[in-house]
Amino acid sequence: MTLRNPYEPSPSDGAHLHVVVAGGGIAGLTTALALHAVGCDRVTVVESARENRPVGAGLNLMPPAVRELDALGLLPRLEAGALRTRELRYYHRSGSLISREPRGLGAGYRWPQLSIHRAHLQHVLAEAVRERLGPAALVTGVRVTGVEPLPDGRPRVRLEHRDGARRGRASLEPDVLVGADGIRSAVRSALNPAEGSPPWNGMLVWRGVSRMPARAVGSFMFIAGDDRQKAVVYPMHRAGSDVLVNWALARPAESAAEEYRGDWNRPVPVESFLHHFEGWEFGGISVPEVLKAADTAHEYPMVDREPLGRWTRGRTTLIGDAAHAMYPIGSNGATQSVIDARALAHALALHRDPAEALDAYERDRRPTTTALQRANRRLGPEVVIDLAHQRAPHGFTDIHQVIPAAELAAIAARYATTGACDPAAANRDSPYTVPSGPVRI
């Protein structure tokens, strides 16, 4: 069946760029909103899922990302379904406290750090896209199957549409293509055909959400464990007298099927891994009790992507996990995707030539995210847990006899500076606001 091209927006002024965004997740939807904010109203987001149903568990948005979402007018909606992260604690698996740090406003930031369910964040973004750009701007059940460069630098994008057992095909020749289609990005694959699957680091991750009485949860986020396995637990939304709690666990495994690398939604029973965390309790919060309160759990191998030497070819570029998928350490995956989106829109607003704009975007963002990818492979700020275990495997009473205060502070500060998440950088006004307001691109 040959499909009539339903993805091309209505004709408009030739001065307006038509931007196709592959992927309707956090990076893709934020890109559409950021483009709209600078005056680009010809944006088509294509999402391979037949329904744009948010999935996954929780995440943390760091203050620089919250700043950018606030600039897009989304902060009140986001906070309605989130909690401000006020404190982060690191524990050794023995229960000994390694450190506690204020977060967000309590740490001197102008914007909060938000603990939020991915489903709520994605719902807010999708609704805003439909409101501001129109319902036709988000097209579901459509995936990119190939990209070819045209002589003028524009991409020819091959699309496949699936409606039940029927499939249709179409192609587009937009002015700009943004690959926001995740760790197994078809756009990235088209630009780097020999790359292969995401590399696995030997760890399995389990994630889920539990509904628990507020008294059993605490008001802080903690990361705990040793040099083999870890647990991350934090509250992210109050629902009456209950609290939604996000949790993520990691430990080594002997093998992981290649087809599951980058698949975040493979369900497994909690009982299959619960025994590894029996007896884990930190700050009065029992990890096994949190796990037993979960309806579902998902397992995936911990993978990332090798840093690329280039994200951009002509008028095609990458964003978010498609550009720089990193280990889930330091709360930087979604945060950096949001900042990418604003940076990309800003560059397109300020440069008349789209290819020059994409190069400027990449020069701005690729060094920072590459440094974070490498820092996360070294465990980022979570390295304090490994150091504590190596130096005092049976626990301790005074962490400063194990890791001096100056060393703890230096580790945290170094990672924050790497991602431009330190207060000095994050408290500035957004660098991605176009001074004259929206411009027509």
Side-chain angles (χ1 to χ4, degrees), residues 69-316:
L69 293 166
D70 189 22
L72 293 173
L74 299 174
L75 184 53
R77 293 195 204 183
L78 293 174
E79 287 214 82
L83 289 177
R84 294 184 176 186
T85 315
R86 302 182 188 277
E87 184 180 57
L88 169 62
R89 300 183 187 180
Y90 290 101
Y91 287 96
H92 181 257
R93 70 168 296 165
S94 65
S96 302
L97 179 66
I98 297 171
S99 68
R100 55 195 302 173
E101 307 168 4
R103 309 297 282 184
L105 301 179
Y109 289 90
R110 289 173 59 191
W111 286 270
Q113 177 176 329
L114 295 182
S115 295
I116 189 169
H117 198 299
R118 182 179 294 271
H120 176 63
L121 172 57
Q122 193 166 326
H123 174 75
V124 169
L125 295 173
E127 287 301 300
V129 167
R130 294 187 179 100
E131 290 168 7
R132 299 176 189 185
L133 286 153
L138 178 54
V139 183
T140 58
V142 175
R143 66 186 183 96
V144 173
T145 58
V147 183
E148 303 168 15
L150 297 172
D152 63 0
R154 290 182 303 125
R156 176 178 289 127
V157 187
R158 293 196 301 276
L159 303 170
E160 182 179 274
H161 170 84
R162 179 174 294 180
D163 182 9
R166 298 192 308 164
R167 292 187 182 184
R169 293 176 175 82
S171 66
L172 281 179
E173 296 178 5
D175 298 296
V176 172
L177 171 65
V178 179
D181 46 344
I183 193 168
R184 286 189 173 272
S185 165
V187 178
R188 178 175 174 135
S189 179
L191 300 181
N192 304 273
E195 184 174 34
S197 297
W200 178 46
N201 72 350
M203 301 287 285
L204 278 184
V205 177
W206 298 276
R207 299 190 74 169
V209 175
S210 300
R211 179 184 288 264
M212 303 188 71
R215 66 180 184 278
V217 172
S219 59
F220 54 89
M221 172 181 183
F222 73 76
I223 304 174
D226 55 25
D227 58 357
R228 276 184 56 83
Q229 61 186 58
K230 294 182 175 67
V232 181
V233 178
Y234 56 85
M236 59 181 177
H237 178 55
R238 295 195 180 277
S241 60
D242 291 340
V243 175
L244 292 184
V245 180
N246 183 74
W247 50 266
L249 314 170
R251 77 183 312 272
E254 293 184 0
S255 63
E258 184 170 321
E259 63 265 30
Y260 297 134
R261 299 183 188 182
D263 178 3
W264 320 123
N265 298 302
R266 179 172 175 250
V268 295
V270 169
E271 292 73 22
S272 67
F273 56 86
L274 175 64
H275 59 284
H276 295 303
F277 300 91
E278 289 291 353
W280 281 39
E281 183 173 321
F282 309 97
I285 301 170
S286 165
V287 172
E289 290 305 310
V290 171
L291 301 183
K292 291 172 185 176
D295 290 332
T296 59
H298 294 86
E299 176 187 270
Y300 63 91
M302 191 182 291
V303 296
D304 67 355
R305 280 293 192 184
E306 293 292 336
L308 288 174
R310 289 179 64 188
W311 292 352
T312 302
R313 300 287 194 281
R315 294 190 181 190
T316 299

